[in-house]
Amino acid sequence: MTETLDSIIIGSGHNSLACAVHLAARGWKVGVFERAAEPGGAVKTGEYTLPGFRHDWAAMNLSLFAGSAFFKEYGEDLGRSGLEFAPVANCFSSVFPDGSWLGVSNDLEKTAQRIAAENALDAETWRSLTAEFPARAEGLFGLLGGPAKKRAFAYILFKEWRRSGTGGVMDLGRFLLASPRDWLSETFVSPKVRALLAAWGMHLDFAPDISGGAVFPYLEGMANQAFGMVLGKGGADTITRAMTATLEKNGGSITCDAEITRVLIENGQAIGVELSDGRQVMAKKAVIANVAPAALARLTGATGNKRYDSGLKTSIHAPGTMMIHLAMEDLPDWTASEDLKTFAYVHLAPDLDQMARTYTQAQAGLLPDEPVVVCGQPTAIDPSRAPDGKHVLWLQVRMAPGTIKGDAAGQITATDWESAAEPFAERALDLLERYAPGARARILGRHIVTPAMLEADNPNLVGGDQICGSHHLTQHFLFRPVRGFADGTTPVGNLFHTGAAVWPGAGTGAGPGYLLAQKLAG
């Protein structure tokens, strides 16, 4: 007998789960189908090195989730299902070759004093930006988190016009178009303050000179200053486990080891899906695909809209990422300061020119000679992730080419990730050792995850792209993933697209899934 549901969701990433939770709460019979052995997509946690050491596979920072509209509605339900956060006071920092450092804490005086030691004028600028942030945040969060509709954007801009006039709207538009280097260079004097914030652009694919990237360093800096940061207690998978439990309490289901190979379309309407074992499941109201754009094109074949089909197939992905999970005897001894042991993130990204060079090399298919290394120290915040007295490090190596054409340093001859993984990981560990001598000697176990392994585990991470598609202006706002379809609709009736590939894009905020669920069920 063929199973029939109200809604079928392809993929079990956090956007899928947020969508499913809302639909189930509105009375829909929802089934989520996941090709992998466990739900969560890139938001999962496991003992990848040694027993008792819990490592976040990809996503670590849950601040966007904790501040999301979805959490505002379902936070109490999720809490009853086991969701726990670990708040962070000392959020992010950067270390520099001269032995100095800068860091942002949620205590304004601490942050301002660190900046003042580098440049007094920049400290005053930081205080001013912090004071202005609440008023400015309303418009920015409205733009970046609202529905992808011309009317919605126009309304937000109208509110901004009423608040700050024509000049204010023009200033906002200029800011949204600016590159990180544009904004940072005109705002701060110190190259170190600029580098401290610019590192956040590299978490997406906004190298210093990419237009449209200024907003991300700004928002991360100001939001962390204002609210601090949030990690998951015990691991980022706390949100996955809580959403799964909440969904199941409301009658929804998740089926793992269930790969969907085709969306069934009849008379221009999606009516169900076919699994790799030949089984078919039908949907009365919606088939929702949380997949990369090209994958949706493969699942549907031709939709009848040539522009849409072409847009899916030609969607551009960001450079890849290598993850290095380390089980540690202790945290690194940072030369710059013992205080760095209290920070969730330590960025090894000393200046804008180095970040720009790294990005360009990766885009050209080269292993960067000096990659950006994001050193996450989750056990500095949440000791429960490791045995007593021990720690884990979460190293994110950015940028890394999905397909290797060569080595910018001329040292690694391998062009396949299986062979290049170890020497490239050693390059990243050399950087860690530069700023924290003796760190290697504290490693108890390690697990390298290459861009190829990220994609094999989760096909949405094409070439190791953890954000499921570039966020450059041509693929952002109303153009994500294709003009006219940023709200999750497709040319096929009852077929919808969600996940990081759809507006408002990547991050743990669950915006694409929750906005689509509201569109479908109110």
Side-chain angles (χ1 to χ4, degrees):
M1 182 176 178
T2 303
E3 182 181 7
T4 301
L5 302 165
D6 289 325
S7 175
I8 293 167
I9 301 180
I10 304 171
S12 66
H14 69 285
N15 277 295
S16 293
L17 296 177
C19 184
V21 165
H22 187 73
L23 294 179
R26 294 297 187 273
W28 287 37
K29 186 178 180 182
V30 182
V32 178
F33 293 83
E34 170 58 55
R35 66 182 289 277
E38 61 178 308
V43 186
K44 60 184 180 182
T45 307
E47 296 181 348
Y48 306 125
T49 57
L50 297 171
F53 292 84
R54 290 180 53 77
H55 307 270
D56 290 336
W57 178 255
M60 180 178 123
N61 183 352
L62 300 183
S63 297
L64 288 175
F65 187 86
S68 69
F70 172 76
F71 182 74
K72 183 177 181 180
E73 180 168 357
Y74 289 102
E76 291 186 7
D77 292 337
L78 296 173
R80 287 191 289 268
S81 293
L83 174 63
E84 289 187 85
F85 290 132
V88 180
N90 293 325
C91 305
F92 67 93
S93 57
S94 285
V95 288
F96 303 102
D98 65 0
S100 62
W101 70 286
L102 285 173
V104 171
S105 302
N106 65 354
D107 183 319
L108 176 58
E109 288 308 309
K110 287 184 179 179
T111 305
Q113 286 173 17
R114 293 180 192 127
I115 295 174
E118 179 63 30
N119 186 281
L121 182 60
D122 285 347
E124 291 307 308
T125 299
W126 186 265
R127 292 179 189 278
S128 296
L129 290 172
T130 301
E132 297 165 1
F133 179 61
R136 197 171 189 188
E138 181 182 0
L140 283 174
F141 285 131
L143 278 171
L144 297 174
K149 297 179 179 179
K150 295 177 183 176
R151 181 177 296 178
F153 288 150
Y155 176 67
I156 291 167
L157 292 174
F158 174 70
K159 286 179 65 178
E160 181 66 22
W161 175 77
R162 291 190 65 178
R163 187 179 72 84
S164 58
T166 301
V169 173
M170 293 181 69
D171 287 344
L172 175 62
R174 180 176 181 270
F175 176 61
L176 291 173
L177 294 173
S179 72
R181 192 190 298 267
D182 290 336
W183 177 68
L184 291 166
S185 295
E186 69 181 28
T187 305
F188 297 104
V189 177
S190 168
K192 293 178 182 177
V193 177
R194 297 172 187 171
L196 172 70
L197 296 174
W200 279 109
M202 302 294 278
H203 283 248
L204 291 171
D205 60 324
F206 283 106
D209 300 301
I210 304 296
S211 293
V215 65
F216 298 102
Y218 169 77
L219 284 178
E220 284 290 347
M222 292 296 100
N224 279 274
Q225 179 63 84
F227 311 119
M229 184 182 286
V230 167
L231 304 184
K233 184 71 178 294
D237 68 339
T238 184
I239 67 170
T240 300
R241 290 184 279 109
M243 285 193 286
T244 297
T246 302
L247 172 63
E248 291 173 345
K249 286 177 185 177
N250 288 329
S253 65
I254 300 176
T255 305
C256 292
D257 294 312
E259 182 174 7
I260 289 175
T261 56
R262 183 164 64 104
V263 174
L264 303 175
I265 299 173
E266 191 175 279
N267 299 322
Q269 300 282 315
I271 60 170
V273 298
E274 184 173 277
L275 282 76
S276 58
D277 60 7
R279 181 164 53 104
Q280 293 186 347
V281 182
M282 313 309 289
K284 295 179 188 177
K285 297 181 179 180
V287 174
I288 299 167
N290 181 353
V291 297
L296 183 57
R298 291 192 295 271
L299 288 172
T300 59
T303 66
N305 184 315
K306 292 183 179 179
R307 182 174 64 81
Y308 179 78
D309 293 343
S310 176
L312 292 182
K313 293 175 182 176
T314 59
S315 180
I316 297 171
H317 282 272
T321 301
M322 171 188 273
M323 299 298 306
I324 306 175
H325 301 299
L326 300 176
M328 301 289 291
E329 181 68 37
D330 200 352
L331 290 172
D333 274 330
W334 300 99
T335 301
S337 175
E338 278 286 305
D339 291 346
L340 287 164
K341 290 184 176 183
T342 67
F343 278 79
Y345 286 100
V346 181
H347 288 124
L348 316 185
D351 63 72
L352 271 63
D353 292 340
Q354 177 257 340
M355 293 182 225
R357 185 178 72 249
T358 294
Y359 184 84
T360 301
Q361 289 170 347
Q363 284 284 64
L366 302 178
L367 296 168
D369 55 3
E370 187 179 346
V372 168
V373 177
V374 183
C375 180
Q377 303 181 126
T379 43
I381 314 304
D382 174 22
S384 72
R385 297 186 184 209
D388 286 348
K390 303 297 189 287
H391 290 272
V392 299
L393 287 187
W394 178 94
L395 297 187
Q396 194 177 54
V397 186
R398 292 185 176 270
M399 301 290 186
T403 300
I404 304 171
K405 297 180 181 178
D407 177 26
Q411 299 167 349
I412 301 172
T413 58
T415 55
D416 64 284
W417 271 112
E418 186 175 353
S419 303
E422 286 288 340
F424 191 57
E426 288 299 320
R427 181 172 296 171
L429 292 175
D430 285 343
L431 289 171
L432 176 62
E433 194 77 13
R434 180 189 302 176
Y435 293 101
R440 261 197 184 90
R442 298 184 175 190
I443 297 174
L444 302 174
R446 74 176 185 178
H447 182 238
I448 300 169
V449 186
T450 68
M453 292 168 66
L454 285 171
E455 182 175 356
D457 177 77
N458 182 348
N460 285 1
L461 310 184
V462 177
D465 167 19
Q466 291 194 358
I467 57 175
C468 201
S470 171
H471 281 65
H472 295 178
L473 291 174
T474 54
Q475 286 188 182
H476 207 37
F477 294 100
L478 296 173
F479 304 104
R480 190 171 188 87
V482 179
R483 176 176 56 80
F485 300 96
D487 62 349
T489 57
T490 75
V492 177
N494 291 340
L495 176 64
F496 301 91
H497 194 186
T498 193
V502 180
W503 172 262
T508 57
Y514 184 53
L515 287 172
L516 177 60
Q518 289 179 307
K519 177 183 178 69
L520 295 176

